[in-house]
Amino acid sequence: EYNRATMRRRTARLETLGYLIAVGCIAASTALFMLGREHFAKGQWALLYLLIVDLVAAVSGARAAVFASVLAFFSWNYFLLPPYGTLRIADPKDWLALVVFLVVGVAMGIQTGRMRERGAEAIARQKETTMLNRLSAYLVSLSETASMAKTLLDEIVNTLGASFATFFLPDEGGEVHPQHTLTATSEATDVEAGQFAQWAYRQNKAIASAR
């Protein structure tokens, strides 16, 4: 589950950055388009803006792409449709072109963004499966509990980026005891970890904690 959760967190961070990417792409493309607005047909800008929206969706996700579509809608109106420098439209047919562009841009951005998210999840699942297969194959060759514990803890720390990890095993009375700790921890942390482990074992539930 870690790989998927990590991928989702990275996707969320990239999506936040995506709004800045959207602003930069639309601003740069609009400045470039303005150089040729007197020489090209008005409708050609819609196709070029759609390429920018699709690029933003592929890089940053659906929400950033929708944001880019809205920015492109107003930029096309303000900078590339006469009268320039206003949101008024001289030709009523341009309103239809703008509305159609906005609808298509939003739909395309959402679709591309979702495809990107599904691809990221597939990569996370593949990495997770590879990690589990590698770990399972290695554990089969081990016979000592201490060696298995250290191997598991190494993998947990490398995968989760944890600052410490402790491996607990239950005794015949149902009490869990630490068998191996990867890094030194304070006494208070050891006690707290033991309480969590005991509760999880008795309740047969997992605990997720982040600090």
Side-chain angles (χ1 to χ4, degrees):
E1 289 297 327
Y2 164 76
N3 284 328
R4 299 178 193 176
T6 300
M7 189 64 69
R8 285 193 291 268
R9 288 195 294 270
R10 290 176 180 175
T11 300
R13 289 196 295 268
L14 189 56
E15 187 176 88
T16 301
L17 180 61
Y19 293 107
L20 297 177
I21 294 175
V23 171
C25 287
I26 296 300
S29 59
T30 299
L32 181 62
F33 297 163
M34 286 179 64
L35 299 177
R37 69 183 180 183
E38 302 295 343
H39 307 287
F40 296 94
K42 294 180 293 184
Q44 291 180 339
W45 307 123
L47 298 176
L48 297 176
Y49 274 129
L50 286 176
L51 290 176
I52 301 300
V53 170
D54 192 52
L55 174 63
V56 171
V59 172
S60 305
R63 294 182 180 179
V66 171
F67 181 64
S69 297
V70 175
L71 285 180
F73 172 88
F74 286 106
S75 297
W76 185 18
N77 185 353
Y78 191 85
F79 295 105
L80 301 174
L81 291 178
Y84 303 127
T86 72
L87 295 179
R88 291 184 289 109
I89 298 295
D91 187 348
K93 293 192 294 294
D94 289 338
W95 277 115
L96 178 61
L98 282 168
V99 171
V100 170
F101 163 79
L102 183 60
V103 172
V104 172
V106 169
M108 186 178 69
I110 291 175
Q111 183 64 24
T112 303
R114 287 178 177 175
M115 291 176 61
R116 171 185 175 274
E117 291 166 3
R118 286 195 292 268
E121 290 178 358
I123 293 173
R125 285 194 296 269
Q126 182 180 7
K127 289 182 178 180
E128 183 178 285
T129 301
T130 301
M131 180 193 70
L132 291 175
N133 289 340
R134 184 183 69 250
L135 182 59
S136 298
Y138 186 66
L139 288 176
V140 168
S141 64
L142 301 176
S143 58
E144 296 181 357
T145 301
S147 298
M148 291 183 180
K150 185 178 185 308
T151 299
L152 287 171
L153 293 180
D154 286 338
E155 192 67 35
I156 288 172
V157 169
N158 290 335
T159 303
L160 299 180
S163 58
F164 71 92
T166 302
F167 189 81
F168 292 88
L169 281 178
D171 58 21
E172 294 180 355
E175 297 293 327
V176 297
H177 303 282
Q179 298 297 312
H180 187 80
T181 300
L182 190 63
T183 59
T185 60
S186 66
E187 182 178 351
T189 302
D190 285 338
V191 172
E192 183 182 7
Q195 292 173 345
F196 279 140
Q198 186 67 58
W199 185 91
Y201 175 72
R202 289 179 176 176
Q203 301 296 323
N204 195 25
K205 293 182 179 180
I207 297 177
S209 177
R211 288 179 292 178

